[in-house]
Amino acid sequence: MGSVGMKKTATLLCVPLMAKSAEGMVSGMNQAKAQGADVVEIRLDCIDNFHPQKDLEIILKDKLLTTLIVFRPKWNGGFYEGDEHGRIEALHLAKDLGADYVEFELKVASKFMEEHRNSPSRELPRIFNLFSICQVPLIAYSSGERGLISQILSPKYGGFLVYGSIDGDSIPGLPTLASLIEVYKVDCINKDTKVFGLISKPVGHSKGPILHNPVIRHVNFNGVYVPMFVDDLQKFFSVYPSPDFPGFSVGIPYKEAVIEFCGEVNQLAQSIDAANTIIRRPSDGKLIGYNTDCEAAITAIEDALVRAHRCTNGKTSLNSPLKDKLFVLVGAGGAGRALAFGAKSRGAHVVVFDIDFDRAKSLACAVSGEVRNFEELAKFQPEKGAILANATPLGMHPSTTRIPVSEASLADYELVFDSVYTPKKTILLKEAETAGAIIVSGVEMFLRQAIGQFNLFTERQAPEELMREIIWDKF
């Protein structure tokens, strides 16, 4: 069978097309080509009132890309419920009309090979030759959010195809072609590429790849940063013990739990009892835990206060602007712990609210602060000039309409910080700004902690200006 514009050494970018008409498939093929695809997977079982001869001629005539024809029956996860003989005949017809590849299910292919064992026209010698040298193109991937990295990392392991969706036609569990080409640069991934990843649940909201990947490439480091959906830390670390995975970011809800899987923990992370960064030490493979959240969040808050005070009186102080301030913290998880310890180190008095009272109490005791019942938060009126820090997911996309405190109390805060960075300006920050408070976005914390992570990941100095440009352009 022939092919159109095949690349011989690189993994190919493939777009699955599931239009309801042959004309829709052709339109999708045009879009896929325009957006950088090499191959299209045509799902015949998605076409309404499919007529093999007519529809396949429309699809395959003057095709712009390499085509993989799929006619998936319902018993194999597709939509086709008709006669099995007719389905197989349609696949043969697709081959005869010029399809580059045709998908046969394993049990169908086995029967097919048995029936045509002695037929030279079926190219069996080529198949046997491939078997003999044990080098055959492989398409293998997992679906859903968990399986996203199986697409992105396919080139590292010699995969034949990477699947992506075209803009405006998203497919659950698949990255977009644009992200594969622009964010992950899959054409640059090879067997020597180091893999850094975000360990989180959920993970789809993360913008870490948008920031880390261009910066990794900017310093000519052969690496890629990917989202890693994890629901079992023990299994995760047992599956990824390779030096090819030298570092991880740690997100919700694992910043505390991940500590027990570290062979060593940096002093700051140990005191906070939470890590947002893990490095695999090259000499012995031991996992080392770090916390770059603490200084990232606190310096972001301090710098905002210093700017505001300088504008007001033109003076600067040697002391932290947080000294002796009331620091109202909502959320006692990993990010909350980083904020609490940072605030304490600057001389602030910390008050902790969390749905889990025992967790809040434990954190309050650790920073010599005060604990309050979460139910009190709605009516809590702080002293004038207090600092409010939200370290919960409240306000994170897609649940963007909730804030953790009453709107009436926002006027009493001098500054409001939100660790949520998706969206960039949350409803909490919008309401606080309206009330007259200084606001600090989680984007600023995200940038600063990412700079610290990059330095640890690569053992190189992060290009801070470039990272800031990316943050404000892409977030």
Side-chain angles (χ1 to χ4, degrees):
M1 291 180 280
S3 62
V4 178
M6 292 284 289
K7 296 189 289 187
K8 296 190 180 188
T9 57
T11 303
L12 304 176
L13 297 178
C14 179
V15 172
L17 298 178
M18 294 181 282
K20 294 184 179 295
S21 68
E23 292 78 10
M25 294 294 188
V26 173
S27 175
M29 195 184 310
N30 290 335
Q31 292 180 63
K33 181 176 176 59
Q35 294 177 31
D38 303 298
V39 183
V40 284
E41 179 185 275
I42 306 290
R43 287 282 303 274
L44 300 181
D45 51 297
C46 294
I47 297 176
D48 291 337
N49 301 314
F50 175 60
H51 297 287
Q53 186 74 40
K54 182 183 77 148
D55 290 337
L56 284 168
E57 285 181 353
I58 292 172
I59 293 167
L60 296 172
K61 181 184 178 183
D62 302 324
K63 58 189 172 68
L64 298 174
L65 291 173
T66 299
T67 54
L68 165 59
I69 299 295
V70 176
F71 200 3
R72 199 158 290 160
K74 197 155 189 179
W75 54 262
N76 194 34
F79 299 104
Y80 180 74
E81 297 184 86
D83 173 63
E84 187 68 1
H85 177 75
R87 187 177 74 89
I88 301 302
E89 286 300 310
L91 290 170
H92 285 305
L93 177 60
K95 181 189 79 69
D96 293 339
L97 290 174
D100 298 281
Y101 300 97
V102 175
E103 178 187 273
F104 287 97
E105 293 74 16
L106 183 59
K107 71 176 186 178
V108 174
S110 299
K111 182 180 179 182
F112 172 79
M113 291 179 68
E114 180 65 30
E115 291 175 352
H116 300 276
R117 178 185 300 276
N118 300 314
S119 172
S121 65
R122 300 304 177 182
E123 302 184 333
L124 288 180
R126 293 179 62 191
I127 295 173
F128 293 142
N129 181 57
L130 288 172
F131 285 157
S132 69
I133 59 176
C134 296
Q135 292 181 353
V136 295
L138 177 66
I139 304 170
Y141 61 90
S142 177
S143 60
E145 190 175 25
R146 186 192 311 278
L148 183 62
I149 61 170
S150 67
Q151 300 292 349
I152 299 167
L153 299 183
S154 185
K156 178 175 173 64
Y157 298 103
F160 180 51
L161 294 183
V162 175
Y163 281 83
S165 60
I166 53 180
D167 290 343
D169 189 21
S170 63
I171 298 173
L174 285 190
T176 63
L177 271 182
S179 68
L180 290 171
I181 295 170
E182 298 168 14
V183 176
Y184 299 106
K185 293 281 186 185
V186 292
D187 59 323
C188 297
I189 297 175
N190 56 46
K191 62 183 179 63
D192 298 318
T193 300
K194 300 297 184 184
V195 181
F196 302 98
L198 169 64
I199 300 169
S200 188
K201 178 186 175 183
V203 76
H205 69 282
S206 173
K207 294 189 176 180
I210 299 173
L211 175 61
H212 280 289
N213 283 307
V215 180
I216 287 171
R217 292 191 294 271
H218 177 79
V219 300
N220 294 316
F221 189 96
N222 186 5
V224 64
Y225 184 95
V226 299
M228 293 178 153
F229 180 93
V230 176
D231 54 12
D232 188 318
L233 284 174
Q234 185 170 0
K235 287 183 180 178
F236 174 82
F237 286 116
S238 68
V239 168
Y240 295 98
S242 165
D244 276 2
F245 292 81
F248 305 98
S249 304
V250 184
I252 297 171
Y254 297 125
K255 294 184 180 185
E256 296 166 272
V258 79
I259 291 289
E260 69 174 277
F261 298 94
C262 295
E264 292 181 14
V265 181
N266 164 271
Q267 184 176 355
L268 176 62
Q270 193 171 45
S271 65
I272 298 172
D273 198 27
N276 75 315
T277 311
I278 294 176
I279 300 298
R280 190 185 307 280
R281 191 159 59 196
S283 60
D284 57 9
K286 187 177 287 187
L287 298 175
I288 315 298
Y290 296 86
N291 193 301
T292 67
D293 278 340
C294 181
E295 284 300 298
I298 293 303
T299 58
I301 292 171
E302 285 181 316
D303 289 351
L305 287 170
V306 167
R307 286 193 300 271
H309 292 170
R310 189 180 293 132
C311 290
T312 302
N313 57 33
K315 298 179 181 179
T316 58
S317 170
L318 296 177
N319 293 324
S320 167
L322 288 174
K323 183 173 173 57
D324 299 324
K325 290 276 190 183
L326 177 66
F327 194 94
V328 179
L329 174 66
V330 186
R337 294 187 69 84
L339 281 157
F341 277 86
K344 179 198 174 186
S345 73
R346 299 323 201 252
H349 175 66
V350 181
V351 178
V352 184
F353 292 86
D354 192 275
I355 292 176
D356 186 332
F357 182 80
D358 290 337
R359 183 167 71 167
K361 183 178 180 181
S362 175
L363 177 55
C365 290
V367 296
S368 303
E370 180 184 349
V371 63
R372 294 288 190 96
N373 286 305
F374 193 77
E375 292 74 18
E376 298 177 35
L377 184 58
K379 297 181 180 179
F380 181 73
Q381 290 295 134
E383 61 190 47
K384 287 285 185 180
I387 307 298
L388 172 65
N390 174 43
T392 75
L394 285 177
M396 182 187 293
H397 181 81
S399 301
T400 58
T401 58
R402 299 175 62 194
I403 66 172
V405 297
S406 68
E407 291 180 29
S409 69
L410 289 174
D412 292 324
Y413 291 101
E414 180 180 8
L415 180 145
V416 174
F417 167 82
D418 198 340
S419 64
V420 172
Y421 65 85
T422 308
K424 185 187 299 184
K425 185 181 280 190
T426 62
I427 187 68
L428 172 62
L429 295 183
K430 289 178 181 178
E431 296 287 352
E433 189 173 44
T434 299
I438 302 164
I439 61 171
V440 179
S441 169
V443 171
E444 187 64 34
M445 173 187 173
F446 179 82
L447 169 63
R448 295 178 186 221
Q449 64 82 31
I451 289 170
Q453 286 187 335
F454 183 90
N455 294 338
L456 290 167
F457 285 161
T458 65
E459 296 184 325
R460 304 183 188 187
Q461 192 63 36
E464 296 186 16
E465 287 304 313
L466 173 63
M467 294 179 77
R468 186 169 290 279
E469 288 175 14
I470 294 170
I471 283 279
W472 293 108
D473 180 47
K474 301 293 186 182
F475 278 47

